[in-house]
Amino acid sequence: MYGFHHLMRSRDMTIETESRWLAAARTGDPQAIEQLYREQGPALLSLAERLLGARMDAEDVLHDVFLALPDILARYDERGRLDGWLRRVLVNRCVSRLRRTREITLEVDVAVEDGENPTLIDDLDALRRAVAALPPSLRIPVVLHGIEGWSHAEISIELGISAGAAQVRFSRGIASLRQVLTGVASHA
Amino acid sequence: MPSPLALSDALRMLARDETPLSAPSIARLRAAASTAHSPWQTRMARHVVRHLRVAAGLLLVLGTGVLPLPRGTDGVWAMGLAGCPGRLVTASPSLTGLGCLSDAIRSTLATIQETSPDMARIPRGPRAYRIITRVDGMAGYDASERWIGITGGHKAGEIAISLSQRGAYACCLFASISTNGDSAALTPLRTAIRATDAQALLMMIFVEGLPLSDGWQGRIGLPSIRSGTGSDKPAFFAKATSVSVRVAGNTTLGGIPVWRVLAGKSTIFVDSRTGQTVGIDEPTHIAGHMREIRIRPNP
């Protein structure tokens, strides 16, 4: 059974205090919003930064989410985990922001096949840098599918493209990562 | 050395990443969450402050609600650390709602004080209607234009914001750059303002190396800055591509000897010793729109 007990797996808050903060945040209580920000913020900020490619942009979007928390929580039915739900809200806002800045192109991509040889990663920092260096149109599918575990169908809805195009973009992103990481390895 | 991971597994590992929140980030959120605001205000504030980076004390007024700009504290630090000699000066004779202004100042300063306790001082009471915040302090004029106080002696930069209320909402930002200022520091601001869609009064006045003397006059160009709101674009923008500027004598402002520089319907007070702009009288007829006046010597 999934209920409120599964909402937040915060490190410091008990379920009871979580419940209180959540209820207070629904009313716009600044202290509760701040508390949730402290709890959920680090992971969300990392995700936003990865999607947007810029810390300041990520922080802006994250602030937007938390300032809108009373409204957001009004639509939250508490049947899933709050952190996962907030991640979806955040992704949506990040994508919207990228759309506004026209950093996401919506053209249909040409399919690119993945390489067959597995790429082994022993330097996660290099991988982080490589992901960050991807253009947004490839980075988002890589982050959402490869890191966040979204399906291509979910990504296609978020981006307003076909599932096939989402998959193609992911494949292209992965191919690009492989190329970059292989280059890194060979120069190391 | 950890075992190499397949790319897909390595990507999944990144899902555990967390980015620590900075104290200013938390303080900004707290300030914003504690204050009446709208998405419009937040966006605009963010645009201005983020790109200006020197916008401590920037305030927006919306009716009786006040929003301290989210990145004000960072702005203070950025400006101080950069040693930027630019200054933003405010003077708003038409300002109404002094209580609101006072609350706004206190609210913003509270945020600044929390993260930069050495940089903020509470102004002397609500009667100050001209406010200059400095990197390390604050000064204000009272209604009789006496400089009622200033703290700190930091000359690296100072910033002040003028607030104005006109109709439902208005915000005005006066910016000036001293003759030895770093005008490049404000270039992003101009870009940012173009990007805003606010129905706000944003007025920037830049003074750059004018050979001021009594009787000096010239014309300055008015860059085509649109408010972005489209339908409310005033004829002012369409017609006025330049504005006459002349020095109309000298006076004192807060004890500082200044030139009175008439620029269009604005009066700019420029420190006759340093060439720095120390005050501006705003025209009140352009509230709801924005314009930029860039004052520079004619070629």
Side-chain angles (χ1 to χ4, degrees):
Chain A
M1 172 183 172
Y2 291 93
F4 185 68
H5 295 277
H6 295 272
L7 291 180
M8 298 169 56
R9 307 290 169 78
S10 56
R11 292 155 295 190
D12 303 321
M13 289 196 291
T14 64
I15 292 174
E16 289 75 18
T17 54
E18 288 171 4
S19 178
R20 282 202 303 272
W21 288 125
L22 201 57
R26 289 181 191 275
T27 68
D29 177 51
Q31 193 179 2
I33 292 174
E34 179 186 336
Q35 186 63 31
L36 290 172
Y37 182 68
R38 288 177 183 273
E39 290 294 324
Q40 303 284 344
L44 294 173
L45 182 58
S46 177
L47 171 59
E49 189 173 2
R50 186 159 288 139
L51 288 169
L52 297 171
R55 171 69 178 269
M56 292 180 72
D57 288 342
E59 203 170 89
D60 286 350
V61 173
L62 191 56
H63 275 186
D64 282 344
V65 169
F66 278 85
L67 290 176
L69 209 52
D71 291 334
I72 291 173
L73 290 176
R75 299 190 296 271
Y76 175 55
D77 60 11
E78 300 189 6
R79 283 186 295 184
R81 288 182 53 159
L82 178 63
D83 55 355
W85 193 70
L86 285 176
R87 288 175 91 87
R88 290 207 167 247
V89 172
L90 183 71
V91 168
N92 185 272
R93 298 224 175 191
C94 288
V95 171
S96 295
R97 186 184 184 94
L98 289 170
R99 279 186 193 283
R100 282 200 303 273
T101 56
R102 298 179 181 178
E103 290 188 43
I104 298 180
T105 55
L106 297 178
E107 77 278 8
V108 177
D109 294 297
V110 177
V112 174
E113 295 298 328
D114 286 350
E116 293 299 325
N117 297 324
T119 304
L120 296 180
I121 307 298
D122 57 7
D123 184 352
L124 287 180
D125 284 337
L127 177 59
R128 291 185 181 97
R129 290 192 297 271
V131 171
L134 290 173
S137 59
L138 303 183
R139 187 171 67 237
I140 291 176
V142 167
V143 170
L144 294 184
H145 182 70
I147 299 176
E148 296 294 311
W150 287 32
S151 70
H152 292 305
E154 290 173 314
I155 297 170
S156 71
I157 294 170
E158 184 65 49
L159 298 182
I161 59 179
S162 70
Q167 186 167 4
V168 166
R169 290 187 186 194
F170 172 74
S171 299
R172 290 183 63 182
I174 293 298
S176 178
L177 286 180
R178 285 199 171 106
Q179 188 175 11
V180 170
L181 293 169
T182 303
V184 169
S186 64
H187 288 89
Chain B
M1 183 176 178
S3 302
L5 297 168
L7 179 56
S8 58
D9 293 333
L11 284 170
R12 295 286 177 159
M13 289 283 289
L14 300 189
R16 303 176 187 174
D17 283 357
E18 292 189 351
T19 303
L21 302 175
S22 65
S25 168
I26 296 171
R28 283 194 297 271
L29 180 82
R30 182 187 308 130
S34 303
T35 313
H37 66 277
S38 69
W40 169 86
Q41 285 178 305
T42 302
R43 281 200 307 274
M44 178 171 168
R46 183 170 293 146
H47 272 303
V48 173
V49 182
R50 171 174 177 172
H51 291 278
L52 182 56
R53 308 281 178 89
V54 293
L58 260 179
L59 305 166
L60 290 177
V61 176
L62 173 60
T64 58
V66 178
L67 173 68
L69 297 194
R71 294 189 180 277
T73 308
D74 281 357
V76 176
W77 283 109
M79 191 170 184
L81 294 175
C84 174
R87 58 165 55 178
L88 304 178
V89 183
T90 179
S92 179
S94 62
L95 185 69
T96 57
L98 295 183
C100 185
L101 171 63
S102 178
D103 289 344
I105 292 168
R106 289 197 184 94
S107 175
T108 299
L109 284 180
T111 302
I112 296 172
Q113 283 178 316
E114 185 166 351
T115 51
S116 315
D118 296 334
M119 288 189 172
R121 304 287 187 276
I122 297 295
R124 291 184 184 178
R127 67 196 180 102
Y129 83 116
R130 294 186 175 195
I131 302 299
I132 296 177
T133 59
R134 296 172 62 97
V135 167
D136 60 344
M138 192 155 188
Y141 298 99
D142 65 10
S144 59
E145 299 198 359
R146 286 179 303 161
W147 198 328
I148 62 173
I150 187 167
T151 61
H154 204 301
K155 294 182 180 179
E158 61 188 66
I159 179 173
I161 300 307
S162 176
L163 301 175
S164 178
Q165 288 181 304
R166 176 77 176 247
Y169 49 78
C171 164
C172 57
L173 164 65
F174 295 94
S176 67
I177 293 290
S178 63
T179 51
N180 61 343
D182 176 12
S183 61
L186 286 182
T187 299
L189 173 64
R190 293 192 284 276
T191 303
I193 287 178
R194 288 190 188 97
T196 62
D197 57 358
Q199 287 187 334
L201 166 63
L202 290 171
M203 181 177 186
M204 297 189 296
I205 299 182
F206 298 85
V207 177
E208 297 178 343
L210 285 175
L212 297 181
S213 61
D214 197 7
W216 181 90
Q217 59 183 344
R219 291 192 71 81
I220 58 173
L222 293 180
S224 177
I225 302 293
R226 295 184 55 169
S227 68
T229 52
S231 59
D232 69 328
K233 177 173 168 291
F236 176 84
F237 286 106
K239 295 177 181 175
T241 56
S242 64
V243 63
S244 65
V245 177
R246 71 184 170 90
V247 178
N250 51 35
T251 182
T252 60
L253 183 65
I256 299 175
V258 293
W259 294 115
R260 293 180 66 245
V261 182
L262 306 181
K265 294 183 178 180
S266 298
T267 301
I268 308 165
F269 299 101
V270 179
D271 190 327
S272 58
R273 301 166 304 182
T274 65
Q276 292 183 322
T277 301
V278 294
I280 301 165
D281 272 339
E282 65 166 305
T284 58
H285 68 289
I286 58 173
H289 309 289
M290 63 179 76
R291 71 173 177 173
E292 171 184 307
I293 298 177
R294 189 175 188 82
I295 303 176
R296 51 165 48 128
N298 288 329

